[in-house]
Amino acid sequence: MDNNQKTLGLMPLVMFSVGCTLASGVFALSGDFAYAGAYTLATLIGWGITFIGMIGLVGCFLRLTIVKPELTSGIYSYARAGFGEYIGFNSAWGYWLSAVLAYVTFSTGFLGSLSELFPFLGDGMNLASLAIGSAILWLLVMLLLHGVNTAVIINAIAVIFKIIPIVFLVVAAIMAGAFDWDTFTSNFTGEGSGMSILEQTKACIFTTVWVFIGIEGAVVISTRAKNTKLAGKASIISFIALFALYFIISFLSMGVADHDTLCSFTDNYTFSMAGVMEYIVGAWGAKLVNVTAVVSIGCALLTYVILCSDSAFGPANMRCFPKIFVKRNKRNQPTYSIIFSALLVEVFMIVATINSASYQNCYYLSTITIMIPYMLSAFYAFKLTCKGELTEGLSSAGKAFTWIAVILGSIYGIWMLYASSLSYILVCALMYLPGIVLYIIKRREEGGPLFPKTYDKVVFVVLCALFVLFFILLAVGNEFILSGF
């Protein structure tokens, strides 16, 4: 890159990272841990694991960006570089699915929040919501195809509207004396809940990963930083700032309302922060949260249509997806990447409506699909560190930091899958396997064997086995597989 393009300073880098990561999850954070079954102690442990693990992942992304600057088309490129064609394809496919499911999640939250004004929308998952959500989706697609790309401005507006209720919640909870230590420590370990501390801690995984999806943006943009050292500082600062923000909201909420009350907020509100605000200042506080959530998430919908498109276009540029995804129209927009992404969103919106999926169900699926690319990125960083490529030219302290980061990132990648329930892992296989169609098309375009490596065949067989197992358990009405939903 031309040095004239390397102009971003510390604050622009930090704001970009925060803008990429701070999404609808912050509005639902207050009650989602309780909804998953985690009590106070387990929630605190879950945050501790997240801090250590995500610091490791951020460190992996940072070193990979510096050492492998040519791999700039997304974190899925690391899996392809490290583990070959089929595994790399699956990482790209999973990243695309995660972006698509994130859009479905935001659409659900957006329409669910509007139900206070328009009751016929219900929880954002009925036929009326599907019709309106589909109309919004295709309107955004038409705008994007015609070259309307104001994602940066819209993202800035969305961030501002997210900050308003967050700041107010923190100030109100402290100034109004709403935080109560006895409430915070009531049933601290969840005794009598039927879940062990380990089970409760594992239940935190979807929420903690969901709220940090996008943190990789901090290192992707580092190629435009004035220098890589500055980009490194921005990556760490943005993560710590976001972590502190999420933790404070979670901590204060558990001192405002007990576990059962927080859990009930997920039934009464699309975004449980509204319930916490009502608990502190009354009904107008809930309205403030809902209004700002509607505006900020509504703004984010266009951003995520673009992200979905980029998640298909990027891999196609790297020859991970078929060539058709690279084709552009006369306005220089990737036509087929946009249209196929929208079609995939539409399919998931229909499936979610038929199954009456909740906001939480939608983001659980978005989270489980991105865990694979995250884990593979950490493994690739570990592989390069073992070969000495990631530590070459570093001081002793730099080498130590790199080793710690790749070890923590790799362990956290394994923890993410371990902590996810088997039912969601089976659903993940259910969504990953159909990607074989695109993979076959792509391989035929290039020529050569379908599965170049033996372990490619092993991965495909495992996916097939999990796919079949899911339907067997579903056919017999297995309570385990149904319990995940």
Side-chain angles (χ1 to χ4, degrees), residues 409-472:
S410 299
I411 293 174
Y412 187 61
I414 296 170
W415 163 259
M416 285 190 290
L417 288 185
Y418 168 72
S420 306
S421 66
L422 181 57
S423 57
Y424 275 98
I425 292 177
L426 292 176
V427 171
C428 185
L430 182 70
M431 293 189 293
Y432 265 75
L433 187 61
I436 190 65
V437 176
L438 285 185
Y439 178 74
I440 290 173
I441 294 172
K442 191 267 296 190
R443 291 300 293 167
R444 284 183 175 176
E445 289 176 350
E446 296 178 342
L450 183 62
F451 297 116
K453 304 290 184 181
T454 301
Y455 56 72
D456 290 335
K457 298 175 185 177
V458 173
V459 171
F460 178 68
V461 170
V462 170
L463 281 177
C464 289
L466 293 174
F467 186 90
V468 171
L469 178 60
F470 174 86
F471 282 104
I472 291 174

Side-chain angles (χ1 to χ4, degrees), residues 16-23 210-217 242 246:
F16 178 85
S17 176
V18 170
C20 285
T21 312
L22 190 63
W210 168 248
V211 296
F212 281 110
I213 287 179
I215 196 66
E216 66 275 6
L242 284 165
Y246 293 146

Side-chain angles (χ1 to χ4, degrees), residues 17 59 71 73 89 101 121 132 214 236 254 256 344 348 414 428:
S17 176
L71 302 178
S73 297
F89 169 83
L101 287 162
L121 292 174
I132 294 175
I236 301 299
M254 290 187 292
V256 169
L344 197 54
F348 279 111
I414 296 170
C428 185

Side-chain angles (χ1 to χ4, degrees), residues 198-219:
L198 176 60
E199 290 171 329
Q200 292 178 47
T201 303
K202 288 165 61 178
C204 296
I205 192 65
F206 289 111
T207 301
T208 54
V209 175
W210 168 248
V211 296
F212 281 110
I213 287 179
I215 196 66
E216 66 275 6
V219 293

Side-chain angles (χ1 to χ4, degrees), residues 166-179 252 256 277 280-281 284:
I166 293 169
V167 172
F168 192 83
L169 171 65
V170 173
V171 173
I174 296 174
M175 298 299 292
F179 182 88
L252 290 176
V256 169
M277 287 288 281
I280 297 173
V281 299
W284 70 269

Side-chain angles (χ1 to χ4, degrees), residues 186-305:
S186 64
N187 202 3
F188 192 68
T189 61
E191 185 177 354
S193 66
M195 296 176 67
S196 66
I197 296 296
L198 176 60
E199 290 171 329
Q200 292 178 47
T201 303
K202 288 165 61 178
C204 296
I205 192 65
F206 289 111
T207 301
T208 54
V209 175
W210 168 248
V211 296
F212 281 110
I213 287 179
I215 196 66
E216 66 275 6
V219 293
V220 171
I221 199 67
S222 65
T223 55
R224 296 185 180 274
K226 291 179 179 178
N227 58 69
T228 54
K229 186 176 181 180
L230 199 62
K233 289 181 181 179
S235 302
I236 301 299
I237 290 171
S238 58
F239 168 73
I240 292 175
L242 284 165
F243 181 87
L245 180 69
Y246 293 146
F247 183 79
I248 289 170
I249 293 171
S250 179
F251 186 89
L252 290 176
S253 297
M254 290 187 292
V256 169
D258 61 26
H259 174 276
D260 292 343
T261 303
L262 288 173
C263 190
S264 71
F265 291 157
T266 62
D267 295 326
N268 300 327
Y269 300 94
T270 301
F271 299 112
S272 53
M273 185 188 288
V276 176
M277 287 288 281
E278 182 172 5
Y279 215 71
I280 297 173
V281 299
W284 70 269
K287 291 183 183 297
L288 173 66
V289 172
N290 282 329
V291 168
T292 52
V294 166
V295 174
S296 62
I297 297 172
C299 289
L301 288 176
L302 176 58
T303 302
Y304 269 81
V305 168

